[in-house]
Amino acid sequence: MKRISFKKSPFAQNVFILLTGSLISQVLPFLMLPILQKYFYKPADFGILTVFISMCEIFSSIACLKMEFAIVVQRTIRNAINTAFAAMKIAGFMTLFSLLIVVLFKNQLSEYYNEPKLANYLFLLPIYVFLVGTNDVLSYWFNRKKKFKTISSSKVVQTSFAETLKLTLGYLRANYVGLLLGRLMGFFFSGCYLVWKFMKEDRRTLQLITHKESNQLVKANKQYVIFTTPSVFVNSLINLIYLNLFISHFGKDIAGLLGVSMTYLSAGFGVISVSFSQVFFSKVSEIIESHHLLQVYKQFAKQLALFALGILALIYLIPTKLVVYLLGNEWNQLMEVARIMAVWLSISFISSSLSFIYIRLGRQKEMLLFDCLHLLLILIGFFTARLIDTSLTAALWGFSISQSVYYLFAIFIAIYFIKKSKQV
């Protein structure tokens, strides 16, 4: 079979379109973050933001019970719009459920993190869940239509409004509230843009919606609800658990260091991962022959690995003194944390970029089991490191090594699954 050309293929062009928007959308946060760190927000403020996002992700990551994935694989426009409608209904129920959780436990959560004022802002959580759910549904709707420019533009809208508001509220001394509202409003304006594009281009498809068909499509695509949703939930739970482990053992500021380091690293890894994975999902959904799928998977895994190694080398070349000079002495641990986190993130970058392969192969059940083992592995890595050495560095390496082992396993087990499938 003829070798796939990444540079000239429609796949590469679609990735480039999404990547361009992602890069533009990340340039502003990347440039703004040092200013926000140095002049307006402390590590503890970013710590609260990181914890808040982790709590939100528990609900928002499964806001539609992953029915948004099913939109892409529908063969008719009628099924696609009814699947999207079903996903939005589920997002509405999840929003109400998260609101109930906030009402019942907001005081306990504020006391746990020793932030009494946080209770006044936890009502933002269900709003966040609904906005993320809306963005996800519409993004995958335009993914199905291969309107990657629209998805790309929505990312630019999101970060432009988010960072502008963070800076404005930081100037007004709004502490962590500015960070929370900035992120929330970014999703709000991104959602408004996607709704506007939908109403402009696809309003007539709304006439095809029926409650009966949308409910039937949930049943027809129940594998996303039964297997993919718990898997994604466990991954979100892992993020919340590891943050709480570090906070309980090393204080609230470490959450800020972890959150900020992840923000910087996402400029190198996350942007391409999100852009690549959406187009990759669209492409592999059309491949029928397993040997062709294996060829595509291996080729892109190698290319992603080369990119990851380049980013990792660059991170280790940045001197700590330069970071302290630019941001101030209270951020003197940032590079140490970022370098250790970058090790597993470089491997996770490859795995996440190709993660839709499991859905394409119908291996959600196995991945749910693996994700449960992932959680166990994280706990073993963290506490084993704490037994050997009680320092922050040791705990970070314990966490990073366990993460690296899991994501390496996830990359190679996909090859086994592809080879085992005679036809996909």
Side-chain angles (χ1 to χ4, degrees):
M1 182 176 286
K2 194 175 178 182
R3 181 177 172 81
I4 299 167
S5 174
F6 183 75
K7 294 182 180 179
K8 298 180 181 180
S9 68
F11 177 87
Q13 293 172 9
N14 290 332
V15 171
F16 180 75
I17 290 170
L18 273 179
L19 181 58
T20 300
S22 296
L23 285 174
I24 294 172
S25 70
Q26 287 297 321
V27 166
L28 183 58
F30 189 79
L31 294 176
M32 290 292 294
L33 188 54
I35 299 173
L36 298 176
Q37 287 177 262
K38 187 168 185 176
Y39 297 108
F40 302 118
Y41 300 104
K42 299 178 181 179
D45 294 325
F46 283 98
I48 292 297
L49 174 67
T50 304
V51 171
F52 178 80
I53 293 172
S54 296
M55 287 191 292
C56 289
E57 287 297 314
I58 290 290
F59 300 100
S60 64
S61 64
I62 58 170
C64 306
L65 298 183
K66 308 322 295 177
M67 282 298 296
E68 68 270 27
F69 291 171
I71 298 171
V72 180
V73 299
Q74 300 306 312
R75 300 304 179 191
T76 66
I77 194 71
R78 187 182 190 91
N79 281 355
I81 192 62
N82 275 286
T83 302
F85 179 59
M88 284 305 304
K89 287 194 294 184
I90 295 169
F93 285 120
M94 188 60 70
T95 300
L96 293 175
F97 177 70
S98 62
L99 176 61
L100 178 63
I101 296 298
V102 167
V103 171
L104 293 176
F105 300 106
K106 64 177 183 178
N107 292 325
Q108 291 89 330
L109 289 169
S110 299
E111 290 173 7
Y112 178 80
Y113 292 108
N114 195 26
E115 285 289 340
K117 293 182 180 179
L118 184 60
N120 299 325
Y121 298 99
L122 282 176
F123 71 90
L124 296 174
L125 191 152
I127 300 174
Y128 184 99
V129 171
F130 182 76
L131 291 175
V132 171
T134 302
N135 275 267
D136 285 346
V137 170
L138 290 172
S139 291
Y140 281 96
W141 171 264
F142 288 113
N143 183 307
R144 182 188 182 277
K145 296 183 65 184
K146 300 190 185 302
K147 294 291 185 71
F148 297 107
K149 286 184 180 179
T150 299
I151 301 172
S152 182
S153 298
S154 72
K155 297 178 187 297
V156 177
V157 171
Q158 178 185 330
T159 53
S160 297
F161 279 99
E163 298 308 311
T164 301
L165 191 57
K166 287 177 187 177
L167 180 63
T168 303
L169 293 175
Y171 178 78
L172 296 174
R173 303 298 176 189
N175 58 58
Y176 63 84
V177 178
L179 297 174
L180 301 184
L181 290 176
R183 186 172 180 88
L184 188 77
M185 294 307 294
F187 279 109
F188 172 76
F189 285 106
S190 173
C192 288
Y193 171 78
L194 289 171
V195 169
W196 173 71
K197 291 293 289 185
F198 176 85
M199 296 302 290
K200 182 180 179 181
E201 300 175 11
D202 303 304
R203 179 183 298 180
R204 291 183 179 180
T205 61
L206 295 175
Q207 300 173 2
L208 303 174
I209 292 176
T210 67
H211 283 283
K212 183 178 179 180
E213 287 185 61
S214 66
N215 293 337
Q216 288 174 343
L217 283 162
V218 172
K219 294 179 181 178
N221 295 277
K222 62 183 179 182
Q223 69 272 19
Y224 295 100
V225 177
I226 297 173
F227 300 118
T228 307
T229 296
S231 179
V232 172
F233 176 79
V234 171
N235 275 288
S236 299
L237 188 62
I238 287 171
N239 291 332
L240 185 61
I241 288 174
Y242 94 75
L243 273 174
N244 280 280
L245 285 174
F246 279 101
I247 289 173
S248 62
H249 286 84
F250 302 104
K252 196 162 48 181
D253 283 5
I254 186 58
L257 290 172
L258 288 169
V260 170
S261 66
M262 291 287 284
T263 301
Y264 279 117
L265 292 170
S266 68
F269 293 122
V271 176
I272 294 178
S273 179
V274 172
S275 304
F276 186 98
S277 62
Q278 286 206 25
V279 184
F280 180 74
F281 186 32
S282 179
K283 182 177 180 65
V284 298
S285 296
E286 300 170 352
I287 297 176
I288 299 175
E289 298 176 345
S290 58
H291 68 278
H292 183 199
L293 185 61
L294 181 62
Q295 182 190 20
V296 170
Y297 182 84
K298 284 185 175 181
Q299 180 181 342
F300 292 131
K302 290 176 183 177
Q303 292 171 337
L304 290 167
L306 288 174
F307 180 84
L309 284 173
I311 293 294
L312 186 61
L314 180 63
I315 291 167
Y316 271 81
L317 288 173
I318 299 174
T320 301
K321 290 183 179 180
L322 177 62
V323 175
V324 174
Y325 173 76
L326 292 174
L327 302 179
N329 194 57
E330 62 184 357
W331 295 97
N332 62 348
Q333 290 182 291
L334 181 61
M335 279 312 299
E336 179 186 7
V337 172
R339 286 172 184 146
I340 299 173
M341 296 290 282
V343 174
W344 72 265
L345 274 171
S346 62
I347 304 172
S348 171
F349 159 74
I350 303 168
S351 176
S352 300
S353 298
L354 301 169
S355 60
F356 280 116
I357 193 67
Y358 306 111
I359 293 176
R360 178 64 187 89
L361 295 171
R363 295 287 182 172
Q364 294 96 322
K365 186 186 297 185
E366 289 86 347
M367 291 313 299
L368 174 57
L369 174 61
F370 294 153
D371 284 324
C372 293
L373 293 175
H374 183 192
L375 176 57
L376 180 61
L377 190 62
I378 293 300
L379 295 173
I380 292 172
F382 181 87
F383 286 109
T384 299
R386 290 285 293 166
L387 288 173
I388 298 171
D389 188 339
T390 58
S391 68
L392 171 63
T393 301
L396 285 168
W397 274 116
F399 174 73
S400 186
I401 291 171
S402 59
Q403 287 277 68
S404 299
V405 169
Y406 171 77
Y407 286 113
L408 281 171
F409 169 77
I411 292 168
F412 287 103
I413 197 65
I415 296 175
Y416 169 78
F417 286 150
I418 296 172
K419 289 181 176 179
K420 193 175 180 181
S421 301
K422 294 182 179 180
Q423 191 175 24
V424 293

